[in-house]
Amino acid sequence: MKTKPNTPAKIKNISISNYQELAMGTCLKKCKNKAYWHFGIKSEICELIGKVEGLRAKQIRGDEITKEKIDGIKDEIGDVFWFVALGCALFAKKGDKNAFARVYKLTDASVQKEALIVHSYRLDEEFYIHSLEVCALYISTVKRIAAELGIKPYDCLVRNIKKLYSRKERGVIKGDGDKR
């Protein structure tokens, strides 16, 4: 008997290979569209950059870097990964449940910051034709940020799935705020 993605056994076996399927198991049907992806991923990358900037400001001032601050960054990295998984589900060939894994494995942490800015302002058909490349750009950016902070990207994937399935089980997948 095949296990559903939201069963505890499946969640215990989170991998890069099944992340896209698990992530999409938490996606509301009405959210599986290009506009939601486009604005959502921009929002999440900005939230991540805001938290990283706050952390760096603390470092400059000599303030204590708390576990909560690092955990907040891990959560934002996970949220960016979720939107990348949505992008992979939308833009890969129909039925391709491993686009996220392929894009993730092919990316590294050496992307230029300027490249992300260029892609942030494109909302036309050509953009969507090359959207898996844009997904790769976001993954590379997040991996670079994680590497700079000593965070393991895989840990953020696991954290993200556990958070989202907890919300799903509690009936709070809809709504606002990080603390649901």
Side-chain angles (χ1 to χ4, degrees):
M1 187 166 143
K2 198 172 185 180
T3 344
K4 293 182 181 178
N6 63 346
T7 61
K10 191 76 167 179
I11 292 174
K12 288 180 184 172
N13 297 314
I14 301 166
S15 69
I16 293 166
S17 298
N18 70 359
Y19 179 79
Q20 180 179 332
E21 180 182 5
L22 290 170
M24 292 305 92
T26 66
C27 187
L28 301 172
K29 192 172 186 172
K30 62 185 173 185
C31 297
K32 291 182 181 179
N33 63 72
K34 293 174 183 177
Y36 186 80
W37 173 80
H38 179 80
F39 292 107
I41 200 161
K42 302 290 182 288
S43 175
E44 292 301 340
I45 200 76
C46 288
E47 286 182 40
L48 171 59
I49 291 168
K51 289 193 181 214
V52 169
E53 184 279 329
L55 184 75
R56 291 202 172 138
K58 283 187 162 299
Q59 287 174 324
I60 290 167
R61 292 189 307 259
D63 295 345
E64 180 186 357
I65 307 292
T66 63
K67 180 186 179 315
E68 290 77 23
K69 290 285 182 193
I70 297 296
D71 286 348
I73 290 172
K74 288 178 181 178
D75 287 340
E76 294 305 333
I77 288 172
D79 291 344
V80 172
F81 282 146
W82 187 91
F83 271 98
V84 169
L86 175 59
C88 288
L90 290 171
F91 304 116
K93 292 179 182 175
K94 195 168 189 144
D96 183 357
K97 293 184 180 179
N98 287 316
F100 178 89
R102 279 195 314 283
V103 171
Y104 184 93
K105 290 173 184 173
L106 292 172
T107 57
D108 62 26
S110 64
V111 72
Q112 297 287 329
K113 291 177 188 177
E114 294 77 19
L116 183 64
I117 294 166
V118 169
H119 284 283
S120 294
Y121 296 102
R122 296 183 66 192
L123 182 57
D124 54 25
E125 287 306 308
E126 182 185 344
F127 176 80
Y128 292 118
I129 292 169
H130 303 290
S131 290
L132 285 181
E133 293 172 18
V134 175
C135 288
L137 179 65
Y138 281 109
I139 288 178
S140 292
T141 301
V142 169
K143 282 182 172 181
R144 181 177 44 80
I145 290 169
E148 288 177 13
L149 297 173
I151 294 171
K152 295 178 184 173
Y154 173 76
D155 294 344
C156 301
L157 294 172
V158 171
R159 196 178 166 90
N160 178 258
I161 290 300
K162 288 181 178 179
K163 172 184 80 173
L164 292 174
Y165 275 90
S166 170
R167 287 180 183 175
K168 186 175 179 177
E169 289 170 7
R170 292 180 287 120
V172 292
I173 202 80
K174 296 180 191 179
D176 294 322
D178 291 336
K179 306 292 181 202
R180 289 184 261 157

